[in-house]
Each structure stands twice: as C-alpha cells, then as structure tokens.
C-alpha cells in the first residue's frame, strides 16, 4: 500500500523550528514542508539550507499552505536565554506573537503542536484564539522533561518508567510512584529541584536548547502520523481530568493521526497529586490573565 503523503508546517523557523523541519525531511517523516517566519532573511536561509541537502521534499512559504498541513509545529517567539529565569517569564513578550500568528490557522484542520514558551499557557491560548478543538492542540514539553528525568534516575541507579507531568517549567511533576523502588519525599524534592535547572546548563553553554527538543518533537510527529496510539506526556487542554479545568497541563495522552485520542487517568500518590494541584493552580492563574 502506498504511503500517505504528509505535510508539516513550521511557524517560527529559528533554532528549534528550523531543526525540526530539517529532521522531519531527513528522516523521511513528511513529503512537504510549509515554513513561515516573520524574519524573511532567516526564512529564506532555512529554505535554502534544507534544499541544499538534496533531499526530495517540497518546501512552500505561502502561509495559505498551512491550512492543509497534517501537523503544524508552533515555535515562533523569543526563546529562553540565560537572562530569562523561568519559562513563565516569557509570557508577556511572546503574547503578541501568539495573537498575531493565530490568524494563520483560519481553516486549519490538522494538529497543532505548541512549542513556544510558556508552552502550557500558549497551548491553551491558541486553542481559545483559533477554535481548534482541544483534541488537536498538543503542547510539547513532557517528552523532553521525561528524558531528563530518566538521566537523573540512572545517575541514582533507579529503574522504571521516567515520566514528568504538570507544567513544563517550575511546577513539573516527576512521577515516582511507577518506579520499582520507593523514593522518599525529601529525595523526590531534591531530584525535582535538579530537573528544574537542567535546561539552563545547556542554555548557558550554547545559547539555547536544540537537539533534545527537536529530536522529541520529531518523535511526536512520527507517532502522530503513524497513528501509533502510544501514551506520552503532553500538555492537553483539561476539562476536569485530574480534577483540573481551565488550562493546558502535562498529562499522559494517547496520540494518533487525529491528535489526542484520550487522556489517561493514572492513580497518583499524595506527593504527585499535590504537585499536580499546584501546577494546575499556577498555570490556570496565568491562563486567566490572557483568556478572561
């Protein structure tokens, strides 16, 4: 059976957006790319750089081509730098970018993957501004946080599935209850503090994270297009799941060709449930400042 043609749009083709576009082409995940950036000289350079690989992929820059994309990765806006303490601190600066770019999705029928920080708030805001159903609005961050959690666990000689829920930021919630050994709350707090600062080491060293986010975004694209129904941690607009509503937050979701096929309700222990409540309150309060 012939492989179905797939089109990926990337809005914002800087470090992460550009790398995602290249990876999607190099890995053969998609047949067509639609690239957009308000900085025209950067957009032209990224298009040429991918074309110079000789990869057999069509590249378009007409924004109307976004409407027919299967997936759009939204990576526009200012990235986190050493001067930006937390991802939430980017909200005011990136808010105009979100509002301006939302018009690009009039008539868009694909899956929107939000990367721009603060990702959870921006995923909720784009859902609100565009009217795209919550099943097709996916916030990226949980896969990357979980990979960092896995590294931290290996250093502690701990085994088991490494999953991080909650906010993609200071209120992330590593799930310890699914590990093979019991971890005391004090040790959990210590590991969580370590995870919060992991990305800053990369940012200070090279100006921004690229390889980790791009790899996991490409993996998510593969899962969506292949309709794998895998369960992965992603930010989803919640309507009562985990007792939280009015925001987008990292939870286990089953992903496939139509987006989020279901939010999986895990039994969390008291430490994790408290963390989710704190994350929900923090993100919901931020969401209320942009969606009254």
């Amino acid at each position: 059976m012939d492989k179905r043609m797939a089109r990926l749009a990337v809005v914002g083709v800087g470090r992460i957006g550009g790398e995602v576009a290249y990876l999607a082409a190099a890995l053969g995940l998609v047949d067509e790319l639609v690239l957009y950036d308000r900085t025209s000289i950067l957009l032209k350079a990224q298009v040429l750089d991918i074309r110079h690989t000789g990869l057999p992929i069509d590249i378009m820059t007409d924004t109307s081509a976004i409407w027919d994309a299967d997936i759009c990765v939204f990576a526009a806006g200012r990235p986190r730098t050493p001067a930006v303490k937390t991802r939430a601190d980017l909200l005011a600066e990136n808010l105009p970018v979100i509002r301006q770019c939302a018009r690009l999705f009039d008539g868009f029928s694909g899956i929107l993957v939000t990367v721009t920080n603060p990702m959870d708030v921006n995923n909720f805001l784009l859902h609100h501004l565009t009217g795209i159903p919550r099943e097709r609005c996916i916030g990226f961050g949980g896969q990357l946080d979980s990979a960092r959690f896995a590294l931290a666990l290996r250093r502690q000689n701990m085994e088991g599935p490494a999953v991080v829920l909650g906010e993609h930021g200071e209120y992330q919630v590593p799930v310890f209850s699914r590990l093979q050994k019991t971890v005391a709350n004090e040790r959990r707090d210590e590991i969580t503090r370590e995870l919060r600062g992991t990305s800053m080491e990369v940012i200070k060293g090279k100006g921004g994270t690229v390889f980790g986010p791009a790899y996991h975004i490409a993996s998510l694209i593969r899962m969506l297009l292949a309709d794998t129904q895998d369960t992965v941690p992603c930010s989803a607009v919640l309507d009562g799941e985990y007792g939280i509503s009015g925001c987008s937050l990292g939870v286990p979701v089953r992903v496939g060709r139509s987006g989020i096929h279901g939010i999986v309700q895990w039994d969390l222990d008291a430490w994790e449930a408290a963390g989710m409540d704190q994350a929900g309150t923090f993100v919901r309060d931020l969401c209320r400042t942009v969606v009254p």
Side-chain angles (χ1 to χ4, degrees), residues 153-154 157-161 178-181:
L153 290 177
R154 284 201 288 271
N157 295 315
M158 298 183 192
E159 297 182 358
R178 299 172 72 84
L179 302 180
Q180 294 178 7
K181 63 182 293 186

Side-chain angles (χ1 to χ4, degrees), residues 70-89:
D70 296 279
I71 299 170
C72 179
V73 172
F74 191 98
R78 181 187 172 192
R80 193 178 176 196
T81 67
V84 180
K85 185 177 180 182
T86 71
R87 296 175 181 88
D89 294 333

Side-chain angles (χ1 to χ4, degrees), residues 18 42 59-60 70 89 121 165 181 203 242 250 287:
L42 171 63
I59 306 176
M60 296 162 276
D70 296 279
D89 294 333
V121 180
L165 307 179
K181 63 182 293 186
I203 293 168
Y242 290 90
C287 287

Side-chain angles (χ1 to χ4, degrees), residues 174-233:
V175 178
F176 289 93
S177 61
R178 299 172 72 84
L179 302 180
Q180 294 178 7
K181 63 182 293 186
T182 301
V183 183
N185 288 358
E186 294 78 9
R187 189 75 188 105
R188 294 182 180 199
D189 293 339
E190 183 180 338
I191 293 173
T192 303
R193 284 193 296 270
E194 176 188 337
L195 291 175
R196 289 174 185 148
T198 300
S199 62
M200 188 52 68
E201 185 175 356
V202 178
I203 293 168
K204 288 180 178 178
K206 58 182 281 186
T209 57
V210 181
F211 303 147
Y215 171 79
H216 290 291
I217 295 168
S219 296
L220 178 60
I221 291 169
R222 186 195 300 275
M223 286 185 276
L224 291 168
L225 293 175
D227 199 24
T228 62
Q229 303 289 315
D230 287 347
T231 297
V232 291

Side-chain angles (χ1 to χ4, degrees), residues 21-22 30 48 96 122 158 226 255:
Y22 164 71
V30 298
L48 285 174
N122 287 333
M158 298 183 192
V255 295

Side-chain angles (χ1 to χ4, degrees), residues 4 16 27 31 36 39-40 71 108 125 127 130 139 149 168 190 218 223 237 243 249 258 278:
R4 176 180 169 182
I16 293 177
L27 296 173
D31 308 282
Y36 170 77
T39 306
S40 59
I71 299 170
F108 175 65
L125 178 58
H127 161 67
T130 64
F149 184 32
H168 180 50
E190 183 180 338
M223 286 185 276
V237 176
L249 205 65
S258 59
Q278 290 177 340

Side-chain angles (χ1 to χ4, degrees), residues 7 27 29 31 41 49 53 62 82 84 88 96 132 172 193 208 236 259 268 272 284 289:
R7 176 182 294 184
L27 296 173
L29 301 181
D31 308 282
I41 191 170
D49 207 8
T53 66
D62 185 341
V84 180
I132 298 172
Q172 59 186 276
R193 284 193 296 270
L268 303 178
E272 294 156 353
R284 184 170 58 245
T289 68

Side-chain angles (χ1 to χ4, degrees), residues 79-103:
R80 193 178 176 196
T81 67
V84 180
K85 185 177 180 182
T86 71
R87 296 175 181 88
D89 294 333
L90 290 169
L91 179 58
E93 187 156 0
N94 283 336
L95 184 59
V97 178
I98 300 295
R99 294 191 184 280
Q100 180 182 12
C101 290
R103 61 180 175 78

